[in-house]
Every structure is written in C-alpha cells, then in structure tokens.
C-alpha cells in the first residue's frame, strides 16, 4: 500500500534511445495502432460543471473520429481529424464543416483542450527530442521521468514537456512548460486500472496553471485496442452518415 | 520720390513718439504673423503626417494586386512576380521604388494565446525603401533577406500573446492547396508604430513565406512609391496599360479616409490666414487712425506750410510700412524660433493613438518652406498696407485752418 | 458713484466707445461661432463613429472589454433595459449576445462573430440597419433570419435568400448549431464589421448559444450624445445592482477621445492667440483714451480725488465697454451659431462629398452650448480687465500739476 514518504530517485545517464522507447511504448499503450473507446469528459469551472460522453475511434496518431453520445442536446455531433485537417458534423445542420484556422485555437466543447490540442496529440513523439531525466520508486513500481525538448524548427509552442511513465507503460503525468520553463499546464493521471487487456490511465485531468478552479477530466470507461477498423469509418461521408458503431 | 530719404527718418521718429502704442501695435502684427506661420506649419505637418503615415506603412503611393484580391485578400488570389511590360513600367520614373509581398490571413500562437494576424512575406531590401516599419524596430532586428525564416511582430502583439523577442511562435494558415499548414518561427524583432499595425502584421522573408504557403514564386501584391507631388493618375494609367489583367490602385482609393483628412487640413489654413490678416489690418488701422487724430494740428501745419497731400499720405504710409515691416519680421523670427524648439518634431506622445485614428503619425515634423514664409509675410504686409491707406488718406482731408485751431 | 461716473464718461466720446464695443462684439461673436462650429464637428465625429455600431455607451459585465469572453454576461438584461429606457436621455437600450463561431455554407466555412440583436431597439443605437443595401434588416417577429456584412457575403459566396449555417460553442460548453436565412447584406464602410459580423434575432441567439435570458452587452442610444451623457449617473446607479459596468464612449473608442483632444488643443491654441490679439487691439484704444485725458485726470487729482479712485473710474469704463461688447458678441454669435446649427455649412475644399461616401454628413453643423457661447467672450472680457490694469497703473503714477500742464 502506501510506501514511506521517501522516494528514491536514481539519476540515469542520458540515453535518448531509452527515453524514446519508453515514450513509444507509453503511447502504444494509450492508443495502440487502432482503438475504439468510450469516454466521459467533465468540464469544471468555478460557476458550473458539465459532463459529456463520447465515443472515439483512432487510427495511428493522425486520424480520429469522435462522436458525442450524451447529453441528448449534443448527441450526434462528431468531429473527424485526418492528418492536419479537422471537420465537424452537426446533425441539426446535417452538414460537414471544415474548421477554419481561427476555430482551431478555440476550446473544444468548452473544455480546456483546444481543437488544436486534440490534433496535436502525436507531437510528443514526432517533434521532440527525448531524454531520461530520472527514475523513482514508489508503491513498489518505478516511474521514469522523461524530458521532451522541441526539435529545431518544430511547430510547437512549448519550451519543454516532462512526462512521467510508470514501468507498466502507463503515463502518469505530463507537464507542459512555456519557453521560460514555467509550467503552463499539467495533465495528471488520477486513476489507473485494467482496460482492454492492459493497465490504463482511466482518469486524466488537465489543469491549466494560470487559472484557478478550472479543469477538464477525461474518464475512459470502455475501450478496445488494435481492432480492425474498416476503411469507410474514418471518412467524411461516414462523419455525416454513420454506419459503424 | 526724391523725398523718401527725408521722409523715412521722419516716419521712424514719428513712430516712436508714442512708444506704447507703437509697441502694442507691433505686438499685434507680430503675434498675428507668428500665428499664421506657426499654425500653417502645424496644419501642413498634420496633413503631411497623415499622408506619410498611410503611405509609408504598407500602402505606398499605390498597389497592384491580382484582380479579386481586394475583395478577398486570401492566399487564393495570387499573381506572378512582375515581368515584361509591367517590370519595365515599374522601373520607369516617376516610380522611385517598388517591392513585392505575399500576404494572407493566419493565426499566430504562443504558449498562452492564439490571435489572428495578417501574415506578410517581404523582401527586406526593397521593403525598407517603401515602408517605414523596418525602421521602427524597437527590440531585436529586422529581417535580413528574403530567405530569412524568422518573424518580426508588433510590440503590442507580443504583449497580447504573452511572449517576447527570442521566443518561438507557431503560425497556422490555410495553404494554397487548402490544407492547414503549421510552422514555427523565431521572433527576432519587435516594431513600434501605429497600434493597428502592431496588432495586425507579422513579417517574414518572402521566400520563407512562399514555401510555407506552398505558392512557389507567386506573390499577393506589389507596392510602389513615387515622390510627394507626383501626378498619380498618369502613373496608374501607365501601369494599368502594362498589366491589364491586374488591379492597380493608388493610395487615395486604398486609404480614402486618410485622403479626406489631408484635404480637410488644407482648408483650415486659408481660414486662419484670413482671420489673422483681418485682425492685423484692424490693429494697424486702429493705431494709425489714432495717430492721425493725435497729430491733426501737425498735419494742418504741414499742409499750411505747403506740403502736398500726396506726401502726407506717403509719410503716414511709410509709418505703417515700417510698423508692418517690423511686426511681420518679428513674427517671422518668432515663428522660426518656435519651429526650432521642436528639432525632432512634435511628439504627440500619449495622444498618439488619437493621431492614428485620424490617420496621422505620432510625430509632427514642423517645418516651413523659407520661400513660402517670405511670400506669406509679404502678402500680409501688402494687405496691411492696403488697409493702412485709409487712415493715411484721412489725414489729407483735414482742413489746415480748423486743424491748427484744435487743442 | 464711481460706477455712475464711469458710465457717463464712456459716452463723452460716443464714436470711439461704439467702435470699441463693436470691435469686441465682432470678435466675440466670431469666436462664439467658430467654437460652436468646432464643437459641432466634435459632436458629429463622436456621433458618427459611435453610431455605426457601438452605441453611445454600453452596459457590460465587469471586465468584459478585456477579452470579450462570451461567458461574461449581464443578468436579466430585458428587465434592466426596460428600466434604463425610462431614464431621460436614454432613447434606446439594445441587448446583444456576442459569440464567435463558424459561418458555413456547403462549400466554405469561415470564422465570424454572431451578434444576437433586438431590431426594434437596435435601430435606435446603430446605423447598421440603414446600411443594408441588399434585402432588408431584421424585423420584429423574425425567428431565424440573418444580415451579414458584404465582405463576409463575398467570402462565403452567398446572397439574400441563401442559407447560412452556424457552428460554435454554447455558454455551457454544448455545441451551438443553427441554420439561418440571409435576408439582408450591409455595407458599413468599416472593414471589421463588414468582414466579421452576422446579426441574428436576439431570442434565437440566446437559444442557440444556451444563454438563457442573459446577454453580453446592452448598447445605449439616444437623441443626442450629450443627452445620454447627462443621464450617466442615473444609468450607473441602476446597473450597479446588477453588478454590471457602464462603458462610456471614451472606453468604447479611446482613440476617438484622443483625436478629439488633439483637435481641441490645436483649435484652443488658435483661439487663445485670437483673444490675445484682440485684447491688444482694444488695449491700444483704451491706452490712448487715457493718455488723451491726462489733463482731465490731473485736474481731478488737483481737486483732491484720490489716484486710486480716478484710476478705478477709468478702469471701470473699460470694463463696461468690454461687458457691453461681450454681451453683444454672445448675442450675435449665438444667433449666428443657431442659424448654422439649423442650416449647416459646407466643408472648405469640398471635403463633404468624400465624407458622404462614409455615410457621414456632408455639411458641418454648429453646436451651441454654454461652453461655446461664453468661453471666448468671457476670455476677452477677462483679458481686457487685466489689460486695463496697464492704464490704471499709469494713472496711479500721475502727478497733478505735470498732468494738467500736458497738451
């Protein structure tokens, strides 16, 4: 159970191969080559709180389809990301709308994630150099702390990102630093458990560092990994007229 | 006319017989003249500043675009760099300089905020000649050449983005083929200048911009400069002939509000001149009337002694002439000193944003063309003299006998 | 007694007194007119800029103007607007919802600002309705109509009769989606409005963006800006209970405030010079009349009248002159100003036609108020009272015998 408050930190010689491999495994664990999941997102503000349920399909790191299931008001809304472009579908409008650049910076469903954030989830692997900072032990497990620094010319705004990965490949923490190396936002894994045959960060909460009383929580309630995803699923026509489930 | 050498010292001495009145009248003329010159300079500086600020920002004396661009200033409306007849026309006087730009809307992102901007790819060398922005770099540096992949932003934009020179920003825009392009840029310089420009424009090297937007060698606009008083209509006509498929406009169509402000400033100068000249005339007439009245006995005596009326008129006219001359000269000197006390122009400081709203720059460069000043002074003198002829003529209507009988 | 003496003395030389009075009256009247004209221009500038869209003032949630965050709302705006309309000076109180989102057609989607408005109140605040050049503005009873800016219409390639889709985020984070029918296209002349704004019925916007009965701002209009400004204290106290703030025109258009300050300072400088010159002219006359009466003053002194008394009598004469002249000037100037307030005057240099292009009035109208009516005549009066001290001091230095001996 709870270990002693003393946690042993072991500095490790910088070995990029090590760090990148750890991250790759962590991402693999999180979304695999393909995935289908059900998530509940809670947006919390000082004055209100809202919950939404979504169903998502992902393929690789580039393509994803997210469809809203609940509440009833938003059910049927969906967004599709293929490579760099994002489209939205609204059943009331019955139209697929490509998101213009000005919308990409807007909050997704009023949360602390922007459309852009969702589009850039693979950035950590592609655009950063990785370095193992340290390894600590706690609760009988070891946690690797990896520092990701943007490669020269990479289209990312962060100064650096620190990711903590557990020895069973679960990402436990991501801290995004601005270019002055001050933490700008933190994503904390608050509950880990088995899902789809693997240990999984079931509850992740995003805390912006410059605002109080605001956070967004994503709770994954069901998931399947590495399932065959039919070609028609992640297309614009399917976005508009869903066939699979 | 041979009496002039006699009359001049006489007139001079007469003036100083009543030093207080002479001094006050002198002040009237001097202050009036100072006001005419100084306010003309102020209004001229204002009009000039408005023109210059508009032209030297990005507009230039005129611009050329692909047809349809002005309605929809996006990446879709592009044109090839100038060649053939257009290139030749651009190289001919009165056009003194020209530059090309790629221009499209984009979103700029920092760690904390995302904001819309107008993204501009420029050729720094020719840009420097046409636009003032390269000279307004406050921190860091401007772009080095067309290949420079760095970005230069307005100081206020950097504040709003919560970032600085030396940090990295990411630009997002719709590329030529429709996909969402993203690229990071290093912020190397911050420029000051009109707040609107600071908030809106993001500059990078032309070639860097072209590869980001995927447009090959194509551009969005050509901006050209001509000297200040050029007849732009002829220039535009020549350019339109050389490039019939493109949209050629001069700054008056591109920035009509600034043009209107320039015209309004010019109208006010005539009003100021008229009012001041009227007051000067009243002042001198008033003073000379009093002088004539005072010296009724003297003029009566002179007439009785045989001095012809014409000479009396001349005598008084000379007094007026000397008075006006000294006043006008004093006013001119005062105006010159006033202008001297603003060697680097009148900085509008805190009211700069108001100046920008009216289209002007934040510094007014006060100057007066020497010849124009002398001409104005001369005109004031002549008009003053014309008015002063009336009291002079009144002096001749004095009946010598009655005059000498006055106490 | 001194007063009576002074008054009688004045009329011993009626011609001169009348001329002086007329001089003062004329200049005062001229200045009253010019200042009224200036204030008329200022008022026109403010009214025109604010009247396009902003309104004379706005009721907003605290700190709304910092980032225009849609979540900063005014509670129960309908009730509040009703109460505000009862205040004298408030002609219209228009609630608005302001939300950013995507405007889409089957082929294109662009970012836009959706503004939910109440057309009946909105026309009392904003001129936008009158700039609709295709179709019509929103009407009471509309449910899903929209009017958009002409540049936006061109961007989306839509026109009257087409359908416009709206996609955005609601106040509670839910998806905001709607279909609107375009009934009108406007051209305000302001790029920001024409490129960005989609106006829709308020109730529909509240529903689509999950606002409930809330709004973001209440824009206020009225018969005139001064009338609304007079009502500011009443408005401020009413909205304090809602926790809202009043953004007055200075906050809505800060650069407009600055440009008016610049104009006022420049004109004020000119008028001050005018007053100075006029006072000098009058001083000349007054000084001379004092000097003329040296013998008389000498006699009074010899008779035992105290120099102070003699001096003040003389000074009072000047004050009377100035008072009569100033009063006359106020009357004449006000009459003329009122006439021009009614009739208007053309811009010098033909600038009127240019301004008409922006929907601005092509003539200048004067604006008479206590400031414009009394400032200049008051300044002239004060100037003369002060300048009159010079002859006063001169009298104090007189010695009875030498004075009586002067010719």
């Amino acid at each position: 159970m709870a270990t002693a408050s003393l946690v042993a930190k072991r500095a490790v010689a910088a070995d990029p191969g090590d760090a990148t491999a750890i991250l790759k495994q962590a991402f693999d664990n999180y979304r695999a080559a393909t995935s289908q999941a059900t998530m509940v997102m809670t947006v919390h503000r000082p004055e209100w709180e809202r919950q939404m349920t979504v169903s998502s399909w992902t393929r690789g790191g580039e393509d994803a389809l997210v469809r809203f299931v609940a509440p009833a008001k938003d059910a049927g809304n969906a967004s599709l990301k293929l490579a760099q472009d994002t489209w939205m579908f609204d059943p009331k409008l019955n139209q697929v709308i490509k998101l213009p650049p000005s919308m990409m910076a807007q909050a997704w469903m009023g949360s602390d994630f922007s459309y852009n954030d969702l589009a850039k989830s693979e950035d950590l692997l592609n655009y950063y150099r990785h370095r193992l900072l340290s390894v600590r032990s706690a609760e009988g497990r070891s946690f690797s702390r990896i520092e990701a620094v943007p490669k020269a010319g990479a289209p990312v705004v962060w100064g650096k990102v620190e990711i903590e990965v557990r020895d069973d490949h679960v990402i436990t923490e991501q801290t995004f630093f601005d270019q002055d190396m001050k933490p700008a936002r933190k994503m904390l894994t608050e509950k880990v458990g088995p899902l789809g045959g693997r240990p999984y960060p079931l509850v992740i909460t995003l805390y912006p560092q410059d605002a109080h009383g605001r956070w967004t929580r994503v709770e994954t309630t069901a998931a399947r990994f590495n399932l065959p995803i039919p070609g028609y699923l992640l297309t614009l026509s399917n976005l508009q007229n869903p066939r699979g489930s | 006319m041979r009496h002039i050498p006699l009359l001049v010292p006489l007139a001079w001495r007469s003036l100083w017989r009543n030093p207080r009145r002479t001094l006050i009248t002198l002040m009237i003329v001097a202050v009036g003249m100072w006001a005419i010159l100084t306010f003309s300079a102020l209004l001229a500086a204002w009009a000039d500043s408005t023109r210059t600020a508009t032209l030297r920002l990005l507009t230039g004396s005129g611009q050329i675009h692909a047809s349809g661009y002005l309605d929809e200033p996006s990446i879709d409306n592009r044109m090839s760099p100038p060649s053939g007849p257009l290139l030749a026309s651009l190289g001919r006087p009165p056009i003194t300089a020209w530059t090309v730009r790629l221009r499209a809307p984009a979103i700029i992102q920092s760690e904390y905020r995302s904001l819309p901007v107008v993204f501009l790819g420029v050729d720094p060398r020719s840009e420097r000649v046409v636009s003032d922005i390269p000279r307004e770099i406050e921190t860091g540096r401007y772009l080095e050449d067309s290949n420079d992949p760095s970005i230069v932003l307005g100081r206020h934009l950097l504040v709003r983005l919560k970032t600085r020179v030396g940090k990295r920003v990411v630009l997002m825009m719709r590329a030529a083929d429709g996909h969402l392009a993203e690229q990071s840029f290093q912020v190397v310089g911050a420029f000051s200048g009109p707040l609107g420009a600071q908030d809106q424009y993001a500059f990078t090297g032309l070639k860097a911009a072209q590869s980001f937007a995927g447009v090959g060698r194509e551009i969005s606009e050509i901006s050209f400069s001509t000297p200040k008083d050029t007849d732009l209509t002829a220039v535009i006509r020549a350019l339109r002939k050389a490039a019939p498929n493109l949209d050629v406009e001069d700054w008056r169509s591109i920035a009509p509000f600034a043009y209107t402000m320039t015209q309004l400033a010019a109208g006010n100068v005539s009003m100021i001149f008229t009012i001041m000249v009227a007051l000067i005339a009243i002042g001198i007439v008033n003073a000379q009337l009093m002088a004539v009245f005072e010296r009724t006995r003297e003029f009566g005596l002179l007439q009785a002694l045989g001095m012809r009326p014409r000479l009396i008129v001349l005598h008084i006219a000379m007094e007026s002439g000397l008075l006006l001359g000294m006043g006008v000269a004093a006013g001119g000197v005062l105006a010159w000193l006033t202008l001297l006390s603003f060697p680097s122009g009148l900085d509008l400081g805190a009211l700069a944003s108001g100046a920008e709203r009216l289209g002007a720059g934040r510094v007014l460069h006060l100057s007066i063309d020497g010849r124009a000043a002398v001409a104005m002074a001369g005109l004031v003198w002549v008009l003053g003299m014309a008015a002063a002829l009336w009291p002079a003529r009144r002096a001749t209507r004095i009946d010598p006998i009655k005059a000498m009988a006055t106490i | 007694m001194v007063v009576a003496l002074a008054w009688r003395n004045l009329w011993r030389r009626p011609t001169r007194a009348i001329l002086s009075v007329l001089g003062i009256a004329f200049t005062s009247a001229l200045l009253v007119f010019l200042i009224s004209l200036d204030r008329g221009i200022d008022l026109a500038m403010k009214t025109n800029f604010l009247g396009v869209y902003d309104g004379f003032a706005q009721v907003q949630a605290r700190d709304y103007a910092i980032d225009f965050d849609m979540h900063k709302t005014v509670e129960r705006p309908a009730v509040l607007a009703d109460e505000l309309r009862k205040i004298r000076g408030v002609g219209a109180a228009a609630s608005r919802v302001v939300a950013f989102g995507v405007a889409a057609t089957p082929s294109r989607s662009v970012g836009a600002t959706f503004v939910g408005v109440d057309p009946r109140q909105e026309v009392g605040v904003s001129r936008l309705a009158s700039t609709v050049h295709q179709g019509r503005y929103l009407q009471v009873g509309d449910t899903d109509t929209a009017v958009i800016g002409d540049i936006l219409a061109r961007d989306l390639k839509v026109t009257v009769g087409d359908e416009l889709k709206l996609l955005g985020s609601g106040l509670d984070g839910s998806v905001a989606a709607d279909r609107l029918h375009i009934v009108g296209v406007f051209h305000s002349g302001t790029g920001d409005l024409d490129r960005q704004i989609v106006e829709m019925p308020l109730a529909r916007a509240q529903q689509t963006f999950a606002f409930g009965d809330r709004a973001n701002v209440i824009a206020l209009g009225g018969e005139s800006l001064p009338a609304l400004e007079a009502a500011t204290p009443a408005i401020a106290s009413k909205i304090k209970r809602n926790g809202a703030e009043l953004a007055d025109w200075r906050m809505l258009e800060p650069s407009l405030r600055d440009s008016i300050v610049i104009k006022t300072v420049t004109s004020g400088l000119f008028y001050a010079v005018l007053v100075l010159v006029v006072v000098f002219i009058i001083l000349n006359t007054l000084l001379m009349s004092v000097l003329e009466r040296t013998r008389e003053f000498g006699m009074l002194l010899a008779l035992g009248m105290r120099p102070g008394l003699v001096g003040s009598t003389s000074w009072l004469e000047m004050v009377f002159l100035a008072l009569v002249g100033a009063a006359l000037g106020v009357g004449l100037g006000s009459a003329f100003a009122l006439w021009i307030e009614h009739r208007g005057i053309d811009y010098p240099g033909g600038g009127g036609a240019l301004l008409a292009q922006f929907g601005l009035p092509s003539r200048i109208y004067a604006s008479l108020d206590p400031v414009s009516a009394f400032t200049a005549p008051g300044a002239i009066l004060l100037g003369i009272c002060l300048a009159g001290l010079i002859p006063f001091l001169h009298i104090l230095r007189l010695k009875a015998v030498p004075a009586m001996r002067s010719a």
Side-chain angles (χ1 to χ4, degrees):
Chain A
M1 287 303 171
T3 12
S5 52
L6 263 169
V7 265
K9 268 201 171 121
R10 186 162 46 94
V12 175
D15 181 349
D18 232 351
T20 309
I22 294 174
L23 265 186
K24 264 219 168 85
Q25 280 169 322
F27 271 79
D28 257 344
N29 186 67
Y30 186 67
R31 48 135 188 79
T34 63
S35 79
Q36 191 268 309
T38 307
M39 297 177 269
V40 176
M41 182 167 79
T42 309
V43 180
H44 181 94
R45 299 284 177 256
E47 308 88 17
W48 52 265
E49 191 178 282
R50 191 165 187 266
Q51 271 192 348
M52 296 156 254
T53 310
V54 300
S55 216
S56 74
W57 288 260
T58 69
R59 180 174 58 205
E62 295 263 289
D63 307 333
L65 173 69
V66 176
R67 203 178 289 281
F68 282 82
V69 174
K73 183 171 189 263
D74 294 332
N77 269 284
S79 64
L80 173 68
K81 173 184 174 294
L82 291 176
Q84 295 292 61
D85 298 317
T86 306
W87 290 264
M88 288 271 307
F89 171 73
D90 183 272
K92 266 179 281 177
L93 300 180
N94 198 27
Q95 184 181 319
V96 166
I97 294 175
K98 185 165 172 185
L99 287 192
S102 52
M103 268 304 266
M104 296 301 288
Q106 302 289 317
W108 182 64
M109 305 306 286
S111 73
D112 296 297
F113 294 102
S114 68
Y115 287 98
N116 221 14
D117 289 333
L118 305 178
K120 289 151 136 323
S121 40
E122 289 301 291
D123 276 6
L124 268 179
L125 282 179
N126 301 331
Y127 289 126
Y128 293 75
R129 276 193 324 271
H130 315 111
R131 184 166 77 102
L132 188 60
L133 283 182
S134 62
V135 181
R136 69 178 175 98
S137 307
E139 298 148 15
R141 294 191 171 279
S142 77
F143 297 76
S144 307
R145 194 160 192 88
I146 294 169
E147 179 192 72
V149 174
K151 294 180 185 164
V156 295
V157 289
W158 306 116
K160 71 171 178 182
V161 187
E162 278 181 17
I163 311 107
E164 194 177 72
V165 184
R166 214 161 72 168
D167 53 11
D168 57 355
H169 313 303
V170 173
I171 300 177
T172 49
E173 186 188 304
Q174 286 184 63
T175 305
F176 295 80
F177 292 79
D178 69 16
Q179 289 169 46
D180 290 326
M181 300 307 160
K182 257 187 10 231
R185 40 157 52 168
K186 262 189 171 55
M187 274 174 54
L188 296 177
T189 300
E190 287 165 354
K191 179 163 169 219
V192 183
L195 190 69
R198 57 191 66 198
Y200 203 76
L202 294 174
V203 178
I204 302 179
T205 309
L206 172 62
Y207 296 95
Q209 294 295 295
D210 58 349
H212 296 294
R214 299 164 66 98
W215 47 260
T216 302
R217 171 164 301 146
V218 178
E219 189 179 336
T220 312
T221 54
R224 283 181 297 159
F225 297 98
N226 292 321
L227 65 157
I229 289 193
Y232 67 78
L233 195 66
L234 296 173
T235 60
L236 285 173
S237 48
N238 188 56
L239 178 65
Q240 182 149 4
N241 295 307
R243 267 200 290 158
S245 163
Chain B
M1 289 304 123
R2 62 184 189 278
H3 300 289
I4 288 187
L6 176 66
L7 287 176
V8 168
L10 214 61
W12 177 259
R13 274 215 322 239
S14 307
L15 274 181
W16 294 108
R17 283 210 320 234
N18 193 332
R20 253 186 292 242
R21 180 175 62 224
T22 301
L23 274 173
I24 293 179
T25 314
L26 253 181
M27 281 208 280
I28 292 171
V29 178
V31 171
M33 191 71 229
W34 170 85
I36 289 175
L37 289 173
T38 309
F39 283 99
S40 299
L42 199 62
L43 287 172
W46 190 268
D48 201 58
S49 177
T50 306
R51 243 193 82 258
T52 308
T54 309
L55 266 53
R56 300 284 308 175
L57 197 58
L58 281 186
T59 312
S61 308
Q63 289 183 344
I64 305 175
H65 299 102
S67 81
Y69 180 85
L70 285 173
D71 277 349
E72 195 203 315
S74 78
I75 202 74
D76 298 327
N77 291 313
R78 310 188 291 275
M79 55 185 185
S80 317
S83 63
L86 181 58
L87 187 60
S89 285
L90 285 169
R92 270 201 282 275
I95 296 181
T96 49
W98 58 276
T99 189
V100 296
R101 302 182 185 120
L102 186 70
R103 182 176 179 144
I107 303 282
I108 193 168
Q109 303 166 74
S110 68
E111 306 95 310
Y112 294 99
R113 298 212 55 196
S114 301
L115 294 167
V117 289
V118 172
F119 178 61
L120 288 142
V122 298
D123 174 0
R125 227 173 4 132
S126 47
E127 189 74 17
R128 266 177 212 283
V129 187
V130 176
S131 161
D132 270 348
I133 291 183
R135 239 172 301 172
E136 309 235 23
I137 296 289
E138 227 181 43
T139 326
R141 63 167 178 84
Y142 191 62
L143 305 165
E144 277 164 355
D145 56 41
S146 297
N147 289 310
D148 196 337
S150 334
I151 203 165
V152 170
L153 303 173
R155 182 188 19 93
H156 192 243
L157 183 63
L158 289 172
V159 169
R160 286 166 67 213
L161 286 170
K162 297 196 191 170
T163 187
R164 317 181 286 277
V165 170
K167 298 220 310 185
R168 192 186 340 119
V169 292
V170 171
L171 247 78
M172 186 164 53
M173 73 181 249
R174 196 165 55 81
D177 60 4
H179 87 275
L180 201 62
E182 263 190 301
Q183 193 173 305
S184 74
F185 290 79
Q186 196 73 14
V187 181
V188 292
F191 64 87
S192 59
L195 204 62
Q198 285 187 42
D199 280 337
Q200 268 195 75
Y201 300 132
F203 295 93
T204 189
L206 179 63
K207 298 214 179 75
Q210 284 166 329
S211 70
F212 177 43
V215 296
R217 290 186 58 238
E218 289 178 302
I219 57 174
S220 310
E221 74 185 14
I222 303 171
S223 182
F224 59 87
S225 306
T226 56
K228 190 164 141 182
D229 296 306
T230 314
D231 173 16
L232 281 171
T233 328
V235 175
I236 301 291
R237 209 183 11 239
L239 286 171
R240 283 195 180 137
K241 225 171 91 162
N245 297 325
L246 298 179
D247 189 2
V248 185
E249 302 289 342
D250 73 40
W251 72 275
R252 293 170 299 187
S253 323
I254 299 177
F257 185 66
Y259 179 56
T260 310
M261 287 293 127
T262 321
Q263 297 297 95
L264 283 180
N268 282 339
V269 176
S270 359
M271 185 201 72
I272 290 180
F273 185 83
T274 313
I275 292 180
M276 282 303 171
V277 163
L279 283 177
I280 288 174
I282 292 175
I284 198 115
V285 165
N286 192 28
Q288 292 299 71
L289 270 179
M290 288 193 281
V292 163
F293 174 75
E294 249 174 34
R295 291 144 66 187
T296 312
R297 253 179 42 160
E298 172 190 331
F299 291 130
L301 187 63
L302 285 173
Q303 280 197 346
L305 286 177
M307 193 178 191
R308 273 205 290 268
R310 220 177 355 152
L311 283 180
I312 293 186
V313 171
L314 197 58
H315 173 81
I316 298 179
M318 216 163 278
E319 282 179 37
S320 308
L322 283 172
L323 200 50
L324 278 170
M326 284 194 291
V328 157
V333 167
L334 279 174
W336 181 65
L337 286 174
T338 310
L339 262 44
L340 270 188
S341 45
F342 295 103
S344 43
L346 179 64
D347 189 332
L348 293 166
L351 298 172
S353 78
E356 285 162 26
R357 162 66 68 145
L358 294 173
R362 57 175 297 140
V363 176
L364 296 180
H365 295 280
L366 301 172
S367 74
I368 253 251
D369 175 26
R371 270 180 317 198
V374 169
M376 259 192 283
L379 187 59
V380 171
W381 188 88
V382 166
L383 291 172
M385 281 304 288
L389 281 179
W390 179 49
R393 296 208 42 183
R394 275 209 70 190
T396 62
R397 280 200 289 259
I398 297 170
D399 181 331
I401 311 229
K402 274 213 228 129
M404 288 194 286
T406 323
I407 295 174
Chain C
M1 189 211 60
V2 176
V3 169
L5 203 62
W7 181 255
R8 258 198 0 201
N9 279 343
L10 210 51
W11 299 108
R12 280 192 346 208
R13 300 210 57 121
T15 328
R16 184 174 297 154
I18 289 180
L19 276 178
S20 302
V21 164
L22 282 181
I24 296 172
F26 176 70
T27 334
S28 304
L30 181 67
L31 282 170
V32 168
F33 170 66
L34 286 177
I35 295 180
S36 297
L37 207 61
D38 249 358
R39 289 173 79 75
I41 294 179
D42 286 351
L43 191 60
M45 266 174 76
K46 287 187 238 174
T47 311
N48 288 323
F49 271 98
L50 298 169
V52 176
Y53 179 69
D54 287 330
F56 290 159
Q58 285 184 7
V59 176
Q60 301 173 346
R62 206 172 304 279
D63 294 338
Y64 175 73
I66 294 181
D67 56 5
F68 301 103
D69 183 359
M70 168 179 83
H71 296 90
K72 296 184 175 146
T73 56
V74 175
E75 306 293 315
R76 303 177 63 228
V79 174
L80 191 54
D82 272 338
E83 289 186 11
L84 290 174
R85 273 189 285 269
K86 293 198 195 110
I87 301 176
R88 209 159 74 122
V90 178
S95 305
R96 294 178 183 157
V97 162
V98 183
F100 304 102
V102 182
T105 63
S107 50
R108 293 181 66 86
S109 54
V110 297
T113 305
F114 295 92
V115 186
V117 299
D118 168 5
R120 200 177 25 193
Q121 289 301 313
E122 192 71 21
V123 296
V125 172
S126 145
R127 264 210 318 271
L128 214 60
S130 64
T131 69
V132 170
H133 62 82
Q134 270 182 52
R136 63 165 177 86
Y137 190 60
L138 305 174
Q139 282 165 6
V140 175
D142 279 355
T143 47
D144 60 353
T145 53
V147 293
I148 71 176
D150 58 351
I151 299 183
L152 184 58
R154 267 204 295 266
D155 230 352
L156 289 170
K157 302 201 192 349
V158 291
T159 183
V160 175
D162 289 340
E163 186 184 70
L164 188 70
K165 293 187 183 157
L166 172 171
L167 189 67
S169 220
L171 210 52
D172 58 358
S174 62
V175 171
D178 207 348
R179 295 167 191 260
L180 303 170
H181 289 99
I182 299 173
V183 293
V185 178
F186 65 80
H187 173 76
S188 71
T190 310
D192 286 342
L193 296 176
D194 295 337
R195 213 186 312 266
Q196 270 284 110
I197 301 280
V198 176
E199 285 199 347
M200 57 191 286
L202 178 66
R204 184 72 167 220
Q206 285 170 323
Q207 189 187 38
T208 304
F209 289 100
F211 263 67
D213 65 350
R214 293 191 280 275
N216 289 118
V217 305
I218 304 178
L220 303 174
E223 213 182 274
S224 73
L225 181 59
L228 191 92
E229 290 199 279
T232 304
I235 298 173
S237 69
K238 250 231 158 99
I239 65 176
K240 216 153 68 146
R241 279 173 261 151
N242 275 60
E245 308 184 313
L246 185 67
D248 71 0
W249 71 267
R250 290 166 196 82
M251 284 169 59
L252 293 175
E253 296 279 350
S255 53
L256 182 64
R257 180 192 56 100
D258 288 345
S259 52
I260 288 183
V261 168
I262 291 177
K263 249 186 92 284
T264 310
V265 167
T266 319
S267 307
L269 210 62
F270 177 62
Y271 299 142
V273 171
L274 273 184
V275 168
L276 194 68
V277 171
V278 163
V279 168
F280 278 160
I281 293 178
I282 301 292
L283 179 62
N284 240 349
T285 313
L286 296 178
L287 202 59
M288 183 190 162
S289 53
V290 162
L291 288 176
E292 267 181 354
R293 292 152 67 192
T294 309
R295 260 184 35 167
E296 172 194 334
F297 292 140
M299 224 161 55
L300 289 172
L301 289 172
L303 285 175
M305 199 171 180
R306 276 198 316 279
L309 208 55
V310 179
S312 6
T313 315
S314 174
W315 183 80
L316 267 178
E317 288 169 37
M318 296 171 202
V319 170
F320 281 144
L321 268 182
L323 263 175
V324 173
L328 217 70
V330 169
L332 283 172
S334 304
F336 195 53
L338 276 175
W339 183 52
I340 297 295
E341 192 170 335
H342 179 72
R343 187 183 171 279
I345 206 178
D346 282 321
Y347 277 95
L354 286 160
L355 288 171
Q357 288 174 13
F358 300 103
L360 298 172
S362 54
R363 292 168 78 81
I364 314 177
Y365 293 87
S367 164
L368 187 68
D369 58 36
V371 172
S372 61
F374 294 113
T375 311
I380 293 179
L381 182 62
L382 185 66
I384 291 176
C385 289
L386 286 175
L389 291 176
I390 296 177
F392 176 79
L393 290 172
H394 171 82
I395 290 174
L396 285 185
R397 282 190 301 232
L398 285 179
K399 296 272 186 279
V401 172
M404 284 193 288
R405 274 215 286 241
S406 72

